[in-house]
Amino acid sequence: MPERHTIEALLDAARTRFERLEPQAAFAAQTAGALLVDTRCAELRRSDGVIPGSVHVPLSVLYWRLDSTSGFADPQFTDLERRVVLFCADGYSSSLAAATLLDLGFTRATDIVGGFAGWAAAGLPIEA
């Protein structure tokens, strides 16, 4: 029987694989050309707003949209060398997703500490 892991253990393991970005650093990375990917559901985007310039790729299809071999890839998201900065609502599922993107070959994948909530708390730009 396989060993069971807690979600905290999975998060800890994922986060050792990349350097997470504080919201201000993520904003600077976006200004420098990083792709900010919003994995939140459409309902949260409508109720809480969006980060200007970010692209919406729901977590349920993220890996297929970014993997050029999937048959469902979006060509604008398949540059393995581009800095990809993921964010979810609070910075948990985006950490697991960033680790998966590393496995898919995105060598510069990361996420935002605190997710969208961290970005908003830092007073960074948000659009309705």
Side-chain angles (χ1 to χ4, degrees):
M1 178 170 262
E3 180 182 351
R4 183 187 185 286
H5 299 280
T6 66
I7 190 62
E8 287 301 321
L10 290 175
L11 276 169
D12 289 345
R15 290 173 174 168
T16 64
R17 299 181 56 200
F18 55 90
E19 182 180 339
R20 302 181 77 210
L21 299 179
E22 293 292 335
Q24 289 287 356
F27 182 65
Q30 181 187 35
T31 302
L35 176 65
L36 262 62
V37 178
D38 186 347
T39 65
R40 297 175 300 147
C41 65
E43 292 80 15
L44 282 178
R45 290 171 48 84
R46 275 192 298 276
S47 67
D48 298 344
V50 299
I51 295 174
S54 67
V55 295
H56 182 225
V57 183
L59 190 57
S60 61
V61 297
L62 177 70
Y63 313 118
W64 289 267
R65 294 294 180 269
L66 273 70
D67 181 359
S68 64
T69 69
S70 73
F72 300 97
D74 185 324
Q76 70 175 327
F77 305 140
T78 56
D79 179 358
L80 297 176
E81 299 303 317
R82 187 170 186 191
R83 181 84 179 210
V84 178
V85 181
L86 302 175
F87 65 94
C88 59
D90 296 300
Y92 295 101
S93 63
S94 59
S95 291
L96 297 174
T100 302
L101 289 187
L102 290 173
D103 292 337
L104 289 173
F106 289 86
T107 59
R108 301 177 67 207
T110 188
D111 77 334
I112 300 174
V113 174
F116 182 84
W119 180 282
L124 295 168
I126 295 173
E127 293 177 343

